[in-house]
Amino acid sequence: MSDAVWEQLKSLDKPTLAELFDRDSARLDTFATRFELGSDENASGIRFDWSKTHLDAAHVELFEALAKATDFAGRRAALFAGEIVNVTEGRAAEHTAQRGVGKEESVALAAENHHRMAAIVEAIHRGAMGDVKHLIHVGIGGSALGPALAIDALARDGAMVDVHVVSNIDGNALEAAFAKCDPATTMLAIASKTFTTIETMTNAESVIGWLRENAVADPYGRVVALTAAPAKAIEWGVDETRILPFSESVGGRYSLWSSIGFPVAMALGWPDFAEFLDGAAAMDEHFRDTDGLANLPLRAAFADQYYTRLRGCQTRGVFAYDERLALLPDYLQQLEMESNGKSVKVDGSPVDGPTAPITWGGVGTDAQHAVFQLLHQGTNLVPVDFIAAIVPGHDLAAAHHRILLSNCFAQGAALMAGKKSEDPARSYPGDRPSATILLDEVSPASFGALVAFHEHRTFANAVLMEINPFDQFGVELGKEIAKQIEQGGTRFDPSTEALLELAGIG
Ligand code: F6P
């Protein structure tokens, strides 16, 4: 049934953005929506403006039909009910329960885990583990990208503890953190859902070694483990009282809300972390309770599908016009590419058409002076998201923020309008799409809603493509081969053999 809808979608006319605005005077009201983070009139909000995309009434009607054909409502209900939506691994995907929205028992368990986490965070802030000034957080992928982003976004005004998120196995990363920490006042958080990831476990050992070499009498006494595998953490040497567990049904790239967010709570304090969860919960409720185009993550997914499948776009750009959100493209790369970079459907049959585009991006205005040439005049059509905030995060002269936002809005306008010139090299084709997400302010709540919006957008895209966004088997083969290399005894292709020999490995 979904194939028939796709055929109809392919046959529709493709009016230009200018034509769409000309034809429909209510276009802005239809496609630009304010999302409120609270009910009182001073509550902060976020504007989601998808009017400069090529969605029109005809496309929306068919995308809504596609949502019906792919049982969007049923799959969404299953997600929130804590059913096994990750069928290949036989698991639920209960990140929303961490925010208080989901199956009753899972919400209760998440609340219990958060309660324990809050108690430990507050005890450390009060000095229960001695003088803690620095926290080295070792983790990788979903166990690092979210904490790094959240701390960079929300703790610039002064963190309660100086946090260093270290992910790479390359010792340069850990050495850089050591250079900024005093061992006498440093604690270690080991973040790993599985507690087996080679990079994280190797880095953790090295931090223990560094503490020991620097005369810390009981390095293991400085460790907190954030994991869904508490038994493995105990076996590794972490004291049971300092293990912060989370549920197996929380996926790695969806785990920022669980105890993986420990360094965020350490940096911000528990009340701000709780607000961050509440902001995400507001987006969860919107996503759960709203149908069709009015559902913001689903609306974004309609546009994503339009560009990937009907216009052949192989990438999508994300540009944060806010230094605090500079790490957002990195975070979204894992969320979107690890979730939806698949070739088979939930039922195992091959996907007919492209799946996740390559997510890339950067920070404005820097990116304007580096990569925007291609966006304006290149041969690739790249749908772009601009993300900005009305209130600046600094105290410098107003000119900084005025120029920043003027440039952000100018880019969207220029991409759409283009400009004709006698000289082909100076011509801009225009009709290039963008969406704008404009936050009133970057606060724990608005940031939580922004991240949850992207999680649900990713899920909505997966449903429309009929794929499972919650497994990631594609990362396994490389890990297996790296292990074989470590162990020795396996022969590889001539190129790989030559590289190994040159590096003196194997
Ligand atoms: O290899 C990919 C991956 O499994 C990610 O999905 C995950 O976020 C990351 O590795 C880290 O895994 P863990 O938290 O178990 O160490």
Side-chain angles (χ1 to χ4, degrees):
M1 196 169 145
S2 64
D3 289 351
V5 183
W6 276 116
E7 285 316 309
Q8 285 177 273
L9 275 164
K10 283 177 195 159
S11 70
L12 288 180
D13 283 349
K14 295 187 174 58
T16 64
L17 294 170
E19 284 165 349
L20 291 172
F21 273 99
D22 283 349
R23 284 179 196 175
D24 179 7
S25 57
R27 180 166 181 82
L28 194 58
D29 294 336
T30 310
F31 288 101
T33 306
R34 182 175 166 82
F35 175 79
E36 300 288 354
L37 278 153
S39 47
D40 69 282
E41 60 184 38
N42 296 325
S44 153
I46 307 176
R47 180 178 173 86
F48 290 88
D49 183 349
W50 255 249
S51 65
K52 292 203 229 44
T53 69
H54 291 84
L55 291 179
D56 63 2
H59 283 94
V60 168
E61 196 183 325
L62 284 176
F63 275 122
E64 288 181 343
L66 181 68
K68 221 178 213 156
T70 53
D71 191 24
F72 172 74
R75 284 191 66 189
R76 177 181 59 181
L79 175 80
F80 282 101
E83 287 174 21
I84 308 274
V85 289
N86 178 0
V87 287
T88 49
E89 296 184 295
R91 283 186 196 148
E94 298 193 282
H95 41 287
T96 67
Q98 299 293 316
R99 285 103 71 148
V101 185
K103 186 165 91 178
E104 211 177 306
E105 302 88 296
S106 311
V107 167
L109 179 62
E112 198 182 306
N113 285 339
H114 277 143
H115 190 69
R116 191 175 140 76
M117 177 171 155
I120 291 193
V121 167
E122 287 175 346
I124 298 171
H125 283 152
R126 280 198 309 271
M129 279 180 77
D131 186 13
V132 175
K133 289 201 170 62
H134 312 279
L135 170 65
I136 297 182
H137 171 99
V138 298
I140 199 163
S143 295
L145 289 161
L149 165 65
I151 292 167
D152 201 35
L154 300 173
R156 285 180 176 238
D157 282 346
M160 292 176 78
V161 170
D162 167 45
V163 180
H164 299 269
V165 176
V166 178
S167 50
N168 203 345
I169 185 67
D170 182 342
N172 287 297
L174 206 45
E175 270 189 0
F178 291 159
K180 292 186 184 126
C181 296
D182 170 6
T185 56
T186 298
M187 64 178 278
L188 165 65
I190 308 174
S192 176
K193 180 176 174 184
T194 54
F195 228 77
T196 55
T197 305
I198 184 84
E199 293 91 335
T200 301
M201 302 326 297
T202 308
N203 277 332
E205 294 283 359
S206 293
V207 177
I208 294 286
W210 174 75
L211 291 172
R212 191 175 282 128
E213 279 159 25
N214 285 281
V216 172
D218 176 20
Y220 285 91
R222 298 282 184 83
V223 179
V224 171
L226 323 171
T227 186
K232 291 216 170 70
I234 293 172
E235 202 180 305
W236 190 86
V238 187
D239 191 277
E240 207 171 341
T241 58
R242 276 178 276 101
I243 293 177
L244 295 174
F246 64 95
S247 161
E248 193 63 64
S249 63
V250 177
R253 55 194 169 276
Y254 300 87
S255 63
L256 172 58
W257 326 92
S258 71
S259 63
I260 294 293
F262 170 80
V264 184
M266 284 294 292
L268 302 179
W270 190 262
D272 277 10
F273 189 76
E275 265 184 43
F276 160 66
L277 297 178
D278 289 348
M283 184 57 75
D284 291 336
E285 284 165 4
H286 164 81
F287 181 67
R288 185 193 59 193
D289 301 338
T290 314
D291 287 320
L293 184 71
N295 184 314
L296 295 166
L298 183 61
R299 180 189 303 177
F302 287 168
D304 294 338
Q305 290 298 308
Y306 173 91
Y307 290 111
T308 309
R309 293 213 158 176
L310 302 180
R311 300 291 289 263
C313 300
Q314 296 191 340
T315 80
R316 90 173 193 90
V318 182
F319 295 94
Y321 274 68
D322 196 302
E323 193 70 21
R324 292 167 293 181
L325 300 175
L327 297 178
L328 186 64
D330 289 6
Y331 178 83
L332 294 181
Q333 280 185 330
Q334 186 198 18
L335 177 63
E336 299 179 359
M337 293 164 72
E338 197 167 75
S339 296
N340 289 344
K342 312 276 169 68
S343 308
V344 292
K345 294 187 185 178
V346 179
D347 64 9
S349 64
V351 184
D352 182 19
T355 56
I358 293 158
T359 308
W360 65 285
V363 69
T365 59
D366 295 7
Q368 286 177 209
H369 300 274
V371 296
F372 274 35
Q373 163 65 38
L374 180 148
L375 299 183
H376 289 284
Q377 290 188 314
T379 49
N380 292 284
L381 182 67
V382 183
V384 172
D385 282 5
F386 294 112
I387 301 167
I390 295 174
V391 177
H394 58 80
D395 298 324
L396 297 191
H400 281 274
H401 205 58
R402 203 178 54 242
I403 296 169
L404 178 75
L405 292 190
S406 305
N407 271 275
C408 175
F409 305 149
Q411 292 302 324
L415 285 166
M416 176 174 142
K419 191 178 164 198
K420 302 240 171 323
S421 163
E422 299 282 293
D423 177 356
R426 290 182 168 78
S427 262
Y428 300 75
D431 196 36
R432 302 203 163 189
S434 65
T436 305
I437 300 176
L438 184 60
L439 289 75
D440 285 351
E441 57 180 352
V442 177
S443 65
S446 69
F447 176 74
L450 178 70
V451 177
F453 163 83
H454 283 96
E455 288 180 345
H456 293 314
R457 173 185 188 166
T458 303
F459 173 74
N461 270 298
V463 173
L464 296 176
M465 297 183 289
E466 301 171 78
I467 64 178
N468 170 13
F470 298 118
D471 62 14
Q472 61 283 318
F473 293 112
V475 302
E476 295 306 326
L477 180 59
K479 287 185 196 172
E480 274 169 36
I481 294 182
K483 218 179 253 172
Q484 288 168 5
I485 291 174
E486 273 287 289
Q487 286 162 354
T490 311
R491 296 292 297 171
F492 301 96
D493 62 86
S495 160
T496 306
E497 284 295 332
L499 292 167
L500 290 170
E501 198 179 320
L502 277 171
I505 299 171

PDB file of all heavy atoms in Angstrom, residues 9 12 15 20 23-24 27 30-31 54-65 293 302:
ATOM      1  N   LEU A   9       3.067  10.123  -5.043  1.00  0.00           N
ATOM      2  CA  LEU A   9       3.931  11.241  -4.636  1.00  0.00           C
ATOM      3  C   LEU A   9       4.889  11.617  -5.766  1.00  0.00           C
ATOM      4  O   LEU A   9       5.114  12.800  -6.052  1.00  0.00           O
ATOM      5  CB  LEU A   9       4.736  10.854  -3.383  1.00  0.00           C
ATOM      6  CG  LEU A   9       4.022  11.062  -2.047  1.00  0.00           C
ATOM      7  CD1 LEU A   9       4.721  10.291  -0.930  1.00  0.00           C
ATOM      8  CD2 LEU A   9       3.953  12.554  -1.685  1.00  0.00           C
ATOM      9  N   LEU A  12       3.454  13.915  -8.587  1.00  0.00           N
ATOM     10  CA  LEU A  12       2.958  15.275  -8.315  1.00  0.00           C
ATOM     11  C   LEU A  12       3.841  16.339  -8.964  1.00  0.00           C
ATOM     12  O   LEU A  12       5.047  16.140  -9.139  1.00  0.00           O
ATOM     13  CB  LEU A  12       2.932  15.541  -6.810  1.00  0.00           C
ATOM     14  CG  LEU A  12       1.875  14.835  -5.969  1.00  0.00           C
ATOM     15  CD1 LEU A  12       2.041  15.237  -4.504  1.00  0.00           C
ATOM     16  CD2 LEU A  12       0.469  15.170  -6.450  1.00  0.00           C
ATOM     17  N   PRO A  15       6.061  22.583  -7.658  1.00  0.00           N
ATOM     18  CA  PRO A  15       6.131  24.049  -7.771  1.00  0.00           C
ATOM     19  C   PRO A  15       7.356  24.605  -7.036  1.00  0.00           C
ATOM     20  O   PRO A  15       7.875  23.951  -6.118  1.00  0.00           O
ATOM     21  CB  PRO A  15       4.854  24.539  -7.085  1.00  0.00           C
ATOM     22  CG  PRO A  15       4.095  23.340  -6.660  1.00  0.00           C
ATOM     23  CD  PRO A  15       4.937  22.127  -6.850  1.00  0.00           C
ATOM     24  N   LEU A  20       4.851  28.612  -4.412  1.00  0.00           N
ATOM     25  CA  LEU A  20       4.068  28.132  -3.260  1.00  0.00           C
ATOM     26  C   LEU A  20       3.615  29.292  -2.382  1.00  0.00           C
ATOM     27  O   LEU A  20       2.471  29.344  -1.933  1.00  0.00           O
ATOM     28  CB  LEU A  20       4.896  27.135  -2.440  1.00  0.00           C
ATOM     29  CG  LEU A  20       5.159  25.790  -3.120  1.00  0.00           C
ATOM     30  CD1 LEU A  20       6.140  24.947  -2.321  1.00  0.00           C
ATOM     31  CD2 LEU A  20       3.856  25.023  -3.299  1.00  0.00           C
ATOM     32  N   ARG A  23       0.872  31.313  -4.291  1.00  0.00           N
ATOM     33  CA  ARG A  23      -0.435  30.651  -4.410  1.00  0.00           C
ATOM     34  C   ARG A  23      -1.211  30.597  -3.104  1.00  0.00           C
ATOM     35  O   ARG A  23      -2.417  30.444  -3.113  1.00  0.00           O
ATOM     36  CB  ARG A  23      -0.219  29.190  -4.845  1.00  0.00           C
ATOM     37  CG  ARG A  23       0.111  29.046  -6.285  1.00  0.00           C
ATOM     38  CD  ARG A  23       0.311  27.567  -6.537  1.00  0.00           C
ATOM     39  NE  ARG A  23       0.997  27.368  -7.796  1.00  0.00           N
ATOM     40  CZ  ARG A  23       1.391  26.197  -8.230  1.00  0.00           C
ATOM     41  NH1 ARG A  23       1.170  25.119  -7.499  1.00  0.00           N
ATOM     42  NH2 ARG A  23       1.987  26.087  -9.389  1.00  0.00           N
ATOM     43  N   ASP A  24      -0.504  30.634  -2.002  1.00  0.00           N
ATOM     44  CA  ASP A  24      -1.184  30.382  -0.727  1.00  0.00           C
ATOM     45  C   ASP A  24      -0.796  31.451   0.292  1.00  0.00           C
ATOM     46  O   ASP A  24       0.286  31.402   0.873  1.00  0.00           O
ATOM     47  CB  ASP A  24      -0.777  28.974  -0.235  1.00  0.00           C
ATOM     48  CG  ASP A  24      -1.405  28.634   1.100  1.00  0.00           C
ATOM     49  OD1 ASP A  24      -2.251  29.405   1.580  1.00  0.00           O
ATOM     50  OD2 ASP A  24      -1.038  27.577   1.668  1.00  0.00           O
ATOM     51  N   ARG A  27       0.279  30.309   3.788  1.00  0.00           N
ATOM     52  CA  ARG A  27       1.367  29.313   3.862  1.00  0.00           C
ATOM     53  C   ARG A  27       2.178  29.390   5.158  1.00  0.00           C
ATOM     54  O   ARG A  27       2.479  28.383   5.780  1.00  0.00           O
ATOM     55  CB  ARG A  27       2.283  29.496   2.636  1.00  0.00           C
ATOM     56  CG  ARG A  27       3.431  28.520   2.638  1.00  0.00           C
ATOM     57  CD  ARG A  27       4.155  28.433   1.330  1.00  0.00           C
ATOM     58  NE  ARG A  27       5.208  27.443   1.478  1.00  0.00           N
ATOM     59  CZ  ARG A  27       5.027  26.119   1.370  1.00  0.00           C
ATOM     60  NH1 ARG A  27       3.847  25.646   1.062  1.00  0.00           N
ATOM     61  NH2 ARG A  27       6.014  25.279   1.569  1.00  0.00           N
ATOM     62  N   THR A  30       0.416  27.894   8.032  1.00  0.00           N
ATOM     63  CA  THR A  30       0.325  26.433   7.953  1.00  0.00           C
ATOM     64  C   THR A  30       1.644  25.765   8.331  1.00  0.00           C
ATOM     65  O   THR A  30       1.651  24.743   9.015  1.00  0.00           O
ATOM     66  CB  THR A  30      -0.034  25.992   6.505  1.00  0.00           C
ATOM     67  OG1 THR A  30      -1.156  26.751   6.081  1.00  0.00           O
ATOM     68  CG2 THR A  30      -0.327  24.512   6.420  1.00  0.00           C
ATOM     69  N   PHE A  31       2.745  26.355   7.873  1.00  0.00           N
ATOM     70  CA  PHE A  31       4.023  25.635   7.998  1.00  0.00           C
ATOM     71  C   PHE A  31       4.977  26.196   9.057  1.00  0.00           C
ATOM     72  O   PHE A  31       6.060  25.640   9.247  1.00  0.00           O
ATOM     73  CB  PHE A  31       4.717  25.580   6.635  1.00  0.00           C
ATOM     74  CG  PHE A  31       4.026  24.642   5.673  1.00  0.00           C
ATOM     75  CD1 PHE A  31       3.184  25.118   4.679  1.00  0.00           C
ATOM     76  CD2 PHE A  31       4.197  23.269   5.788  1.00  0.00           C
ATOM     77  CE1 PHE A  31       2.534  24.259   3.795  1.00  0.00           C
ATOM     78  CE2 PHE A  31       3.556  22.393   4.925  1.00  0.00           C
ATOM     79  CZ  PHE A  31       2.725  22.890   3.930  1.00  0.00           C
ATOM     80  N   HIS A  54       9.516  22.586   0.156  1.00  0.00           N
ATOM     81  CA  HIS A  54       8.587  22.437  -0.971  1.00  0.00           C
ATOM     82  C   HIS A  54       7.314  21.670  -0.624  1.00  0.00           C
ATOM     83  O   HIS A  54       6.579  21.284  -1.529  1.00  0.00           O
ATOM     84  CB  HIS A  54       9.304  21.752  -2.148  1.00  0.00           C
ATOM     85  CG  HIS A  54      10.350  22.621  -2.784  1.00  0.00           C
ATOM     86  ND1 HIS A  54      11.630  22.705  -2.288  1.00  0.00           N
ATOM     87  CD2 HIS A  54      10.294  23.464  -3.850  1.00  0.00           C
ATOM     88  CE1 HIS A  54      12.337  23.558  -3.031  1.00  0.00           C
ATOM     89  NE2 HIS A  54      11.545  24.025  -3.985  1.00  0.00           N
ATOM     90  N   LEU A  55       7.053  21.449   0.655  1.00  0.00           N
ATOM     91  CA  LEU A  55       5.794  20.778   1.008  1.00  0.00           C
ATOM     92  C   LEU A  55       4.623  21.671   0.620  1.00  0.00           C
ATOM     93  O   LEU A  55       4.645  22.869   0.883  1.00  0.00           O
ATOM     94  CB  LEU A  55       5.732  20.519   2.522  1.00  0.00           C
ATOM     95  CG  LEU A  55       6.701  19.486   3.106  1.00  0.00           C
ATOM     96  CD1 LEU A  55       6.514  19.390   4.614  1.00  0.00           C
ATOM     97  CD2 LEU A  55       6.491  18.114   2.449  1.00  0.00           C
ATOM     98  N   ASP A  56       3.624  21.095  -0.017  1.00  0.00           N
ATOM     99  CA  ASP A  56       2.385  21.831  -0.274  1.00  0.00           C
ATOM    100  C   ASP A  56       1.210  20.931   0.084  1.00  0.00           C
ATOM    101  O   ASP A  56       1.409  19.781   0.526  1.00  0.00           O
ATOM    102  CB  ASP A  56       2.303  22.309  -1.735  1.00  0.00           C
ATOM    103  CG  ASP A  56       2.278  21.154  -2.720  1.00  0.00           C
ATOM    104  OD1 ASP A  56       2.290  19.984  -2.275  1.00  0.00           O
ATOM    105  OD2 ASP A  56       2.241  21.409  -3.932  1.00  0.00           O
ATOM    106  N   ALA A  57      -0.010  21.427  -0.102  1.00  0.00           N
ATOM    107  CA  ALA A  57      -1.190  20.674   0.352  1.00  0.00           C
ATOM    108  C   ALA A  57      -1.237  19.283  -0.282  1.00  0.00           C
ATOM    109  O   ALA A  57      -1.550  18.295   0.399  1.00  0.00           O
ATOM    110  CB  ALA A  57      -2.452  21.462   0.032  1.00  0.00           C
ATOM    111  N   ALA A  58      -0.902  19.204  -1.584  1.00  0.00           N
ATOM    112  CA  ALA A  58      -0.991  17.911  -2.271  1.00  0.00           C
ATOM    113  C   ALA A  58       0.012  16.914  -1.691  1.00  0.00           C
ATOM    114  O   ALA A  58      -0.318  15.750  -1.443  1.00  0.00           O
ATOM    115  CB  ALA A  58      -0.730  18.113  -3.766  1.00  0.00           C
ATOM    116  N   HIS A  59       1.237  17.402  -1.452  1.00  0.00           N
ATOM    117  CA  HIS A  59       2.247  16.505  -0.865  1.00  0.00           C
ATOM    118  C   HIS A  59       1.857  16.102   0.554  1.00  0.00           C
ATOM    119  O   HIS A  59       1.994  14.934   0.938  1.00  0.00           O
ATOM    120  CB  HIS A  59       3.625  17.179  -0.870  1.00  0.00           C
ATOM    121  CG  HIS A  59       4.274  17.167  -2.212  1.00  0.00           C
ATOM    122  ND1 HIS A  59       4.157  18.216  -3.097  1.00  0.00           N
ATOM    123  CD2 HIS A  59       5.023  16.228  -2.840  1.00  0.00           C
ATOM    124  CE1 HIS A  59       4.813  17.918  -4.204  1.00  0.00           C
ATOM    125  NE2 HIS A  59       5.351  16.719  -4.080  1.00  0.00           N
ATOM    126  N   VAL A  60       1.391  17.081   1.308  1.00  0.00           N
ATOM    127  CA  VAL A  60       1.033  16.784   2.697  1.00  0.00           C
ATOM    128  C   VAL A  60      -0.068  15.725   2.743  1.00  0.00           C
ATOM    129  O   VAL A  60       0.004  14.773   3.530  1.00  0.00           O
ATOM    130  CB  VAL A  60       0.602  18.071   3.432  1.00  0.00           C
ATOM    131  CG1 VAL A  60      -0.055  17.733   4.769  1.00  0.00           C
ATOM    132  CG2 VAL A  60       1.803  18.992   3.638  1.00  0.00           C
ATOM    133  N   GLU A  61      -1.057  15.874   1.858  1.00  0.00           N
ATOM    134  CA  GLU A  61      -2.161  14.896   1.856  1.00  0.00           C
ATOM    135  C   GLU A  61      -1.615  13.482   1.609  1.00  0.00           C
ATOM    136  O   GLU A  61      -1.984  12.526   2.287  1.00  0.00           O
ATOM    137  CB  GLU A  61      -3.153  15.287   0.757  1.00  0.00           C
ATOM    138  CG  GLU A  61      -4.491  14.600   0.914  1.00  0.00           C
ATOM    139  CD  GLU A  61      -5.427  14.944  -0.236  1.00  0.00           C
ATOM    140  OE1 GLU A  61      -5.375  16.095  -0.741  1.00  0.00           O
ATOM    141  OE2 GLU A  61      -6.174  14.034  -0.645  1.00  0.00           O
ATOM    142  N   LEU A  62      -0.689  13.386   0.649  1.00  0.00           N
ATOM    143  CA  LEU A  62      -0.142  12.056   0.340  1.00  0.00           C
ATOM    144  C   LEU A  62       0.819  11.561   1.428  1.00  0.00           C
ATOM    145  O   LEU A  62       0.850  10.374   1.744  1.00  0.00           O
ATOM    146  CB  LEU A  62       0.538  12.064  -1.025  1.00  0.00           C
ATOM    147  CG  LEU A  62      -0.442  12.046  -2.205  1.00  0.00           C
ATOM    148  CD1 LEU A  62       0.311  12.143  -3.525  1.00  0.00           C
ATOM    149  CD2 LEU A  62      -1.301  10.772  -2.205  1.00  0.00           C
ATOM    150  N   PHE A  63       1.583  12.476   2.007  1.00  0.00           N
ATOM    151  CA  PHE A  63       2.460  12.026   3.108  1.00  0.00           C
ATOM    152  C   PHE A  63       1.613  11.573   4.305  1.00  0.00           C
ATOM    153  O   PHE A  63       1.972  10.629   5.013  1.00  0.00           O
ATOM    154  CB  PHE A  63       3.457  13.117   3.511  1.00  0.00           C
ATOM    155  CG  PHE A  63       4.696  13.115   2.648  1.00  0.00           C
ATOM    156  CD1 PHE A  63       5.066  14.242   1.918  1.00  0.00           C
ATOM    157  CD2 PHE A  63       5.501  11.984   2.556  1.00  0.00           C
ATOM    158  CE1 PHE A  63       6.205  14.229   1.110  1.00  0.00           C
ATOM    159  CE2 PHE A  63       6.650  11.965   1.757  1.00  0.00           C
ATOM    160  CZ  PHE A  63       6.988  13.092   1.029  1.00  0.00           C
ATOM    161  N   GLU A  64       0.489  12.243   4.509  1.00  0.00           N
ATOM    162  CA  GLU A  64      -0.400  11.777   5.586  1.00  0.00           C
ATOM    163  C   GLU A  64      -0.956  10.392   5.243  1.00  0.00           C
ATOM    164  O   GLU A  64      -1.112   9.532   6.113  1.00  0.00           O
ATOM    165  CB  GLU A  64      -1.508  12.795   5.849  1.00  0.00           C
ATOM    166  CG  GLU A  64      -0.952  14.038   6.544  1.00  0.00           C
ATOM    167  CD  GLU A  64      -1.984  15.111   6.877  1.00  0.00           C
ATOM    168  OE1 GLU A  64      -3.096  15.076   6.313  1.00  0.00           O
ATOM    169  OE2 GLU A  64      -1.660  15.996   7.692  1.00  0.00           O
ATOM    170  N   ALA A  65      -1.225  10.185   3.948  1.00  0.00           N
ATOM    171  CA  ALA A  65      -1.691   8.850   3.517  1.00  0.00           C
ATOM    172  C   ALA A  65      -0.572   7.821   3.720  1.00  0.00           C
ATOM    173  O   ALA A  65      -0.820   6.673   4.110  1.00  0.00           O
ATOM    174  CB  ALA A  65      -2.118   8.902   2.055  1.00  0.00           C
ATOM    175  N   LEU A 293       0.022  16.871   9.846  1.00  0.00           N
ATOM    176  CA  LEU A 293       0.989  17.952   9.635  1.00  0.00           C
ATOM    177  C   LEU A 293       1.267  18.765  10.899  1.00  0.00           C
ATOM    178  O   LEU A 293       2.347  19.334  11.051  1.00  0.00           O
ATOM    179  CB  LEU A 293       0.455  18.884   8.530  1.00  0.00           C
ATOM    180  CG  LEU A 293       1.381  20.011   8.110  1.00  0.00           C
ATOM    181  CD1 LEU A 293       2.574  19.462   7.332  1.00  0.00           C
ATOM    182  CD2 LEU A 293       0.635  21.044   7.279  1.00  0.00           C
ATOM    183  N   PHE A 302       8.190  14.519   6.883  1.00  0.00           N
ATOM    184  CA  PHE A 302       7.587  14.614   5.538  1.00  0.00           C
ATOM    185  C   PHE A 302       8.574  15.345   4.604  1.00  0.00           C
ATOM    186  O   PHE A 302       8.822  14.916   3.481  1.00  0.00           O
ATOM    187  CB  PHE A 302       6.279  15.411   5.568  1.00  0.00           C
ATOM    188  CG  PHE A 302       5.101  14.710   6.204  1.00  0.00           C
ATOM    189  CD1 PHE A 302       3.931  15.417   6.505  1.00  0.00           C
ATOM    190  CD2 PHE A 302       5.137  13.351   6.497  1.00  0.00           C
ATOM    191  CE1 PHE A 302       2.838  14.786   7.079  1.00  0.00           C
ATOM    192  CE2 PHE A 302       4.042  12.704   7.079  1.00  0.00           C
ATOM    193  CZ  PHE A 302       2.890  13.438   7.374  1.00  0.00           C
TER     194      PHE A 302
END
